[in-house]
Amino acid sequence: MSIETQNDLSLPISKAKDEWLKSKIRDIPDFPKPGIIFKDLTTLFADAEAFAYVLDVLSERCKALRPDMIAGIEARGFILAPTIAYKLGLGFVPIRKPGKLPYTVQKLQYELEYGTDTIEIHADAVNHSHRVVLLDDLLATGGTAGAARRLLELLGAKVVGVGFIVELGFLNGRAKLSGDSDVFSILNY
């Protein structure tokens, strides 16, 4: 598998694999509000072959970036990141919603298209020596992933990659992830 630059919209998979994976994702109209078509990846996760495939593709991309840690964003990033960390023999860093972590935290409030939200990380989860890949299931507007990246960087980590299974390219969320990290996804809508 070749490694592309940050400007590429998705990882290299065949058209047949692309269509096969997309067939495993359920569209839910008008969720969470009218006019939105929600991409439900739980149906992909339930398919053992499709789930294994996306874990393998993401693992290979992460491995090429030579990280020390894999971070995941609550909640669906927790499905991907610990599994990939395990496959690569690395530690996992959870980025959570407020009030879920028991130790001293660093928090960041950020703007969403419909208001504000906050995420937290343990204050000692990463440091200046860590190279981190951040993972989540889907990139939409980039608000949460951008905030998670900034949170890791506030603690001194170098975010070498930010990856997703699905990218809704028409929302241009990757623009909020600008920097020197490799931004990658398997599928693009």
Side-chain angles (χ1 to χ4, degrees):
M1 172 184 324
S2 64
I3 301 297
E4 282 75 42
T5 65
Q6 181 176 344
N7 294 326
D8 292 315
L9 295 179
S10 57
L11 295 175
I13 63 173
S14 70
K15 183 173 174 67
K17 281 285 190 190
D18 183 89
E19 290 172 10
W20 172 69
L21 284 175
K22 285 180 177 178
S23 77
K24 303 299 180 182
I25 298 170
R26 176 175 36 208
D27 285 347
I28 300 179
D30 299 320
F31 182 84
K33 60 184 183 179
I36 293 178
I37 298 174
F38 184 83
K39 297 293 183 191
D40 179 12
L41 274 68
T42 62
T43 49
L44 183 146
F45 298 150
D47 183 294
E49 185 181 359
F51 188 42
Y53 180 78
V54 298
L55 290 173
D56 289 345
V57 170
L58 290 173
S59 294
E60 285 301 311
R61 182 53 161 261
C62 290
K63 182 179 178 181
L65 297 171
R66 300 180 330 275
D68 303 302
M69 307 284 278
I70 304 292
I73 302 169
E74 186 175 353
R76 289 179 300 274
F78 287 9
I79 296 167
L80 304 172
T83 306
I84 291 170
Y86 172 77
K87 284 174 69 99
L88 299 180
L90 304 173
F92 163 65
V93 177
I95 298 175
R96 304 223 45 198
K97 296 173 181 169
K100 305 279 186 165
L101 295 171
Y103 186 65
T104 305
V105 297
Q106 174 73 48
K107 63 176 70 180
L108 183 68
Q109 186 176 46
Y110 60 100
E111 297 292 323
L112 294 169
E113 61 276 9
Y114 48 84
T116 62
D117 207 347
T118 303
I119 53 174
E120 297 180 343
I121 188 172
H122 276 149
D124 62 353
V126 295
N127 62 46
H128 293 286
S129 69
H130 289 128
R131 294 170 52 89
V132 179
V133 173
L134 174 64
L135 296 175
D136 205 359
D137 66 327
L138 187 138
L139 174 61
T141 63
T144 303
R149 177 192 170 139
R150 287 191 306 280
L151 196 55
L152 289 161
E153 291 170 342
L154 280 171
L155 294 179
K158 176 167 179 55
V159 179
V160 295
V162 185
F164 309 91
I165 296 173
V166 171
E167 179 174 352
L168 303 179
F170 62 92
L171 293 175
N172 200 26
R174 130 180 336 250
K176 289 187 180 166
L177 301 174
S178 63
D180 60 358
S181 298
D182 185 20
V183 179
F184 55 93
S185 59
I186 297 175
L187 300 171
N188 195 328
Y189 289 89

